[in-house]
Amino acid sequence: QVLLVESGGGSVQAGGSLRLSCAASGYTYSVNCMGWLRQAPGKEREVVARIYTGGGSTYYADSVKGRFTISHDYAKNTVYLQMNSLEPEDTAMYYCAAGGPTRCDNYRGQGTQVTVSS
């Protein structure tokens, strides 16, 4: 089992920045992918970004490309999501996810709320 603990959510005005963190513990040797999902009220859950911890390759949803950056600290088993130029449409509950070898969401954190006001 892998435990994921998120931090860093909050409320900001449009154009502001937030940095989310997610620390993984437990059987992390089984994890080769970590990422972030989000879900806004009344909307489907979407993949925001993911990173493959071995090679460092990344994926971003089109809606966040150029504004969000995902990174991974191997020594700390922690993944970060730097979110810049935030928009009200980014308001959602953000969940950390991790998995492997073929999926990136075998495990999910409790979530952290991000609210962007206009």
Side-chain angles (χ1 to χ4, degrees):
Q1 191 74 358
V2 175
L3 177 65
L4 302 172
V5 179
E6 303 107 330
S7 61
S11 297
V12 294
Q13 291 191 327
S17 298
L18 283 173
R19 187 194 195 207
L20 305 183
S21 300
C22 171
S25 60
Y27 292 117
T28 56
Y29 66 86
S30 66
V31 170
N32 70 343
C33 178
M34 296 185 74
W36 294 91
L37 314 171
R38 69 184 180 186
Q39 187 163 21
K43 294 187 177 180
E44 291 191 359
R45 187 176 62 233
E46 66 170 332
V47 175
V48 177
R50 61 168 65 115
I51 185 167
Y52 292 88
T53 57
S57 60
T58 57
Y59 161 86
Y60 295 95
D62 287 342
S63 57
V64 307
K65 279 181 182 176
R67 301 188 298 122
F68 291 12
T69 303
I70 190 169
S71 60
H72 177 253
D73 185 323
Y74 187 87
K76 295 181 179 180
N77 273 328
T78 298
V79 66
Y80 304 95
L81 186 68
Q82 178 67 44
M83 305 185 293
N84 298 328
S85 302
L86 282 161
E87 303 168 351
E89 292 74 22
D90 296 315
T91 295
M93 184 70 79
Y94 284 70
Y95 298 91
C96 179
T102 59
R103 291 182 56 173
C104 205
D105 61 352
N106 300 86
Y107 309 101
R108 203 173 302 159
Q110 298 276 28
T112 185
Q113 178 68 36
V114 171
T115 302
V116 185
S117 57
S118 58

